[in-house]
């Protein structure tokens, strides 16, 4: 890299934190999926908002774009460089501060992992409202920047709803800082909520204040075998109204459970297979099992219902669902889609997407699972060439025709950009571009993520970046 | 008004819906508080987003600014004209559509009142997550535009958190429309969340899709007499962790209860007065009274605790809190402030604000009440000249020094604009101005609300507009 640029960056973050040898850069240049990768000019590792501001000012003056990066666990290519950008790693911003154990609020550096924060606050009887499988690596900053969801959205909402304060650095180096943690604050535009989910394109998030949720020590998990997804959704609705503290409602199908059983040492949960499986978890201050059992009684077949309250039994039931991702990866390299359907269209979408895939790519092996309470289905597809987008496009077009969203949790990144206009209108995209130009006129923050600053020429669609 | 302008507006909305005679205009020109008022060029009453778009295009071309208005129940002067703007009344957008009684979602025209929506969805076992005292007049569009809060924020969050789809018209007439109602949708910037709370300055909200919450038929209300606000907050924390379904935690003080008792026919709830009162409500599918009683047992004095489960008894306890506003208005014209404090500063703020008021304006009679679970205190002040802002400024400066917010629920409007910079930094305000310019470059949407498009000259502060 340019020695003068290096010298200026080192003056801000220290010589040890401007990295440009290829071996060190490598882990920052390729994402967790190994599907997205690109060359970085360098990796810069600031330790404070002021250092982030200094780095952004230098990069802006030098005309170098910046890719903010947390735990690099994203699935849409939004946290790795595409074309010689500087990677701005936020992992050194790892302080947990001002934990109010009475009110349940905490200020968290962008680089703190979800798991570390969970351990920290659980010791005092609190919990983070969002939980997801990549907790050991995913950072709070990245989770806010992508508005992460996970398995508890049905009860506590996504990261955006946990946010009660933010510190972030704008492209010009100005620092937005409001961290008192106010549950109600109607004083102008909701900048924290706007930055949440903006995937690093509007500002670099450096610290957040989060509201916590009380730890719910008593838990009950039910696993049900059911004749269809429609039947599963009916059970979810019944339980949602009758059982307090429903915080997970996960569905999966025999093709996924077969993969899990084949690649793990788990025993089959039931003596026979069912067309659809539903996992429910209720939690609260007091044992939720009686209310859950009572809610299930009128709607579930006792022979196809397992109820677990102690930890080991609950974990065994959860493993049938949580080990899907690992089992799918052991079987091959999947195409990963993550879609939401309107509540009343989800049941009809499931056979429709299988039929569409069979028509477009007969070799495709779909493995579906997801969050039934949110209409959110993860569509994993094995048996496809990694560079063959035809199935992805066919699925996303089907989602759009059902009135759904092409990305429920993962974001757009660069992976889903070609299909953004399927579910965001020209007026929507134009308004987003106007906001991007207003806050980052030079376009140095994560360029090319979500949309390009200039609309593409008519008829031109850009393929997602690839290794 | 200009006959050519009238003709063009009539071509869009019909002759019956362009109103400019002074008698008809009057009810649109003065707000509910009677404190804020200004002349309107005319009142235009469109019946659809397309008509709103047409009106905005005509007004923009004619250089006439527009003040969107719903139920006109705002408390900060943001919904009435200041200087000859056109009032855009949204009340004819009053359709309730696509009620999904299974999933609990509904599409609501901006002009539907909260009360009408409540009646509509409650008949099918659902409820709106937000409730507030002005429900008979407040419209859903206005409640979203101001991100209304109310008494259930502690459980369900403010209006922004109920929003799962929006239709809104930008200043140039472009219509943003995404109403499928997707609980998860990470496809770019959260435009619905940005418009919520933007007080009509970025777009005109015409329809929204809301997620509903299950009706909680079983309810328990407790009223406690306590030695201090600090003691009340300790009870709230204990109940929050131990009793499921806490959905209101309201505090008030003897000066407010005295006013209520004097201006209504209510009997005193306790044989003796207490320094602080706390009203708690829990609700759920099953009777929450046993859990509430058990949670209160270790922290409350039985002699100073009333517990009610049947409707009439609950209403009697609620009246002690809900009739504050009416009793205060019967006593005089109050200055109304609405502030949030960080959770750990609320108890210290209460004596501090009383002391500050006594020092600044010895005649001031503060009546405090609020939402203890959110740190939100309504500071009503009697005994002041309506045009004397010294007490307001002193209170808001104290709030800022405690790290709080100068507006918890009401918004900034024009009433709180002089103090915006107390709790929003120059970087914040500059980012808000950039977003405003990006979406409304001509500045025709509710100009002068929240902030002025151009920063004032150094040293110049603008007083709030007044009747």
């Amino acid at each position: 890299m340019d020695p003068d640029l290096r010298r200026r960056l080192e003056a801000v973050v220290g010589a040890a934190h401007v990295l440009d040898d290829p071996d060190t850069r490598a882990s920052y240049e390729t994402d967790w999926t190994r599907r997205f990768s690109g060359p970085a000019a360098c990796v810069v590792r600031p330790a404070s908002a002021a250092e982030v501001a200094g780095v952004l000012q230098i990069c802006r003056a030098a005309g170098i774009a910046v890719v903010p990066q947390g735990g690099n666990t994203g699935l849409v290519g939004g946290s790795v460089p595409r074309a010689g950008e500087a990677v701005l790693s936020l992992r050194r911003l790892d302080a947990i501060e001002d934990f109010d154990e009475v009110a349940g609020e905490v200020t968290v550096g962008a680089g703190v992992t979800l798991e570390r924060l969970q351990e920290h606050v659980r010791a005092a009887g609190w919990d983070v409202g969002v939980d997801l499988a990549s907790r050991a690596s995913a950072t709070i900053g990245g989770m806010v920047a992508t508005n992460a969801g996970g398995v508890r959205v049905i009860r506590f909402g996504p990261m955006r709803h946990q946010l009660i304060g933010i510190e972030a650095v704008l492209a010009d180096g100005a620092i937005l800082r409001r961290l008192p943690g106010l549950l109600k604050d109607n004083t102008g535009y909701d900048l924290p909520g706007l930055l949440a989910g903006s995937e690093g394109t509007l500002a670099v998030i450096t610290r957040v204040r989060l509201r916590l949720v009380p730890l719910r020590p008593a838990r009950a998990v039910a696993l049900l075998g059911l004749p269809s997804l429609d039947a599963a959704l009916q059970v979810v609705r019944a339980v949602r109204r009758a059982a307090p503290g429903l915080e997970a409602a996960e569905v999966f199908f025999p093709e996924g459970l077969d993969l899990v059983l084949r690649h793990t040492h788990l025993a089959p949960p039931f003596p026979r297979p069912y067309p659809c499986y539903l996992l429910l978890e209720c939690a609260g201050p007091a044992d939720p099992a009686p209310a859950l059992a009572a809610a299930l009684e009128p709607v579930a077949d006792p022979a196809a219902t397992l109820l677990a309250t102690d930890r080991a039994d609950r974990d065994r039931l959860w493993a049938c669902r949580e080990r899907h991702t690992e089992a799918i990866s052991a079987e091959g390299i999947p195409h990963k889609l993550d879609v939401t359907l309107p509540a009343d269209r989800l049941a009809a979408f499931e056979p429709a997407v299988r039929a569409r895939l069979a028509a477009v790519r007969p070799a495709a092996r779909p493995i579906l699972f997801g969050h039934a309470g949110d209409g959110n289905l993860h569509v994993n597809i094995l048996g496809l060439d990694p560079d063959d987008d035809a199935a992805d496009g066919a699925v996303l077009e089907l989602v759009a025709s059902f009135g759904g969203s092409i990305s429920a949790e993962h974001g757009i990144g660069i992976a889903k950009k070609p299909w953004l206009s399927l579910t965001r209108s020209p007026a929507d995209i134009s308004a987003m571009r106007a906001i991007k130009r207003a806050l980052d006129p030079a376009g140095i923050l994560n360029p090319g993520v979500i949309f390009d600053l200039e609309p593409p020429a008519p008829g031109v669609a850009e393929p997602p970046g690839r290794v």
Side-chain angles (χ1 to χ4, degrees), chain A residues 8-238:
Chain A
R8 276 178 291 152
L9 289 170
E10 286 180 355
V12 172
V13 299
H17 299 295
V18 181
L19 314 170
D20 70 345
D21 72 285
D23 285 356
T24 311
R25 274 179 6 222
S27 74
Y28 297 89
E29 289 176 328
T30 299
D31 78 346
W32 181 89
T33 67
R34 297 197 178 155
R35 194 169 165 218
F36 300 99
S37 186
C42 59
V43 176
V44 188
R45 310 197 322 150
S48 68
E51 289 188 11
V52 170
V55 170
L56 291 188
Q57 285 166 333
I58 291 165
C59 287
R60 200 162 75 131
I64 291 180
V66 168
V67 176
Q69 188 181 91
N72 202 11
T73 57
L75 296 169
V76 291
S79 60
V80 288
R82 274 78 62 187
E85 299 90 346
V87 170
L88 191 72
S89 170
L90 282 310
R91 278 184 266 186
R92 288 178 69 219
L93 293 156
D94 63 355
I96 299 177
E97 302 162 281
D98 297 329
F99 180 19
D100 182 336
E101 298 190 20
V102 176
E105 301 178 0
V106 65
T107 297
V108 192
V112 173
T113 64
L114 173 59
E115 189 168 77
R116 213 184 115 221
L117 180 61
Q118 286 173 330
E119 284 167 5
H120 191 93
V121 302
R122 284 176 181 171
W126 293 98
D127 200 1
V128 186
V130 169
D131 192 18
L132 37 73
S134 59
R135 59 186 74 85
S137 306
T139 60
I140 296 298
M143 288 173 64
V144 172
T146 57
N147 187 33
V151 294
R152 312 234 179 277
V153 172
I154 188 174
R155 181 156 186 191
F156 301 117
M159 281 305 280
R160 188 181 283 128
H161 287 197
Q162 321 306 316
L163 203 56
I164 54 172
I166 202 160
E167 181 189 75
V169 186
L170 295 174
D172 65 0
I175 299 176
L176 303 176
R177 184 183 288 131
R178 271 169 73 71
L179 292 163
L182 301 169
L183 295 171
K184 285 174 165 178
D185 182 25
N186 275 347
T187 56
Y189 307 157
D190 181 26
L191 299 178
L194 177 65
L195 299 186
S198 69
E199 304 188 33
T201 63
L202 296 180
V204 178
I205 295 167
T206 50
R207 280 197 292 183
V208 294
R209 191 151 179 91
L210 300 179
R211 72 178 177 100
L212 301 169
V213 300
L215 202 58
R216 291 89 51 221
R219 294 189 168 269
V221 174
L223 182 67
L224 289 76
L226 290 156
S228 66
L229 175 57
D230 195 40
L233 295 171
Q234 285 175 37
V235 172
V236 174
R237 286 164 201 145

Side-chain angles (χ1 to χ4, degrees), chain A residues 357-358 360-366 381-384:
Chain A
L357 278 170
V360 174
R361 286 290 181 270
R365 287 175 57 198
I381 315 167
L382 288 168
L384 297 177

Side-chain angles (χ1 to χ4, degrees), chain A residues 276-358:
Chain A
C276 183
Y277 299 92
L278 173 66
L279 183 145
L280 299 168
E281 183 167 39
C282 290
D287 181 14
L292 178 57
L296 288 175
E297 200 272 324
V299 290
D301 171 7
T305 303
L306 301 169
L307 191 64
T309 51
D310 85 59
R311 176 66 183 261
D313 291 341
R314 286 188 279 121
D315 286 352
R316 242 190 310 276
L317 297 186
W318 260 111
C320 296
R321 160 65 184 85
E322 279 220 314
R323 299 188 75 174
H324 265 62
T325 304
E326 154 196 356
I328 292 166
S329 288
E331 187 83 0
I333 297 175
H335 285 225
K336 284 183 170 292
L337 300 169
D338 165 39
V339 303
T340 325
L341 283 301
D344 61 351
R345 307 303 304 280
L346 183 59
F349 176 78
E350 186 244 334
V353 72
R354 294 184 194 277
R356 179 69 65 96
L357 278 170

Side-chain angles (χ1 to χ4, degrees), chain A residues 400-445:
Chain A
S401 76
F402 273 73
S405 165
I406 64 160
S407 184
E409 308 187 305
H410 297 169
I412 296 297
I414 56 169
K416 307 294 163 61
K417 190 166 61 168
W419 298 290
L420 180 64
S421 60
L422 280 177
T423 58
R424 300 292 301 243
S425 68
D428 264 4
I429 297 174
S430 166
M432 291 199 274
R433 280 207 175 94
I435 291 169
K436 166 74 173 173
R437 279 193 209 101
L439 296 185
D440 179 20
I444 67 157
L445 290 175

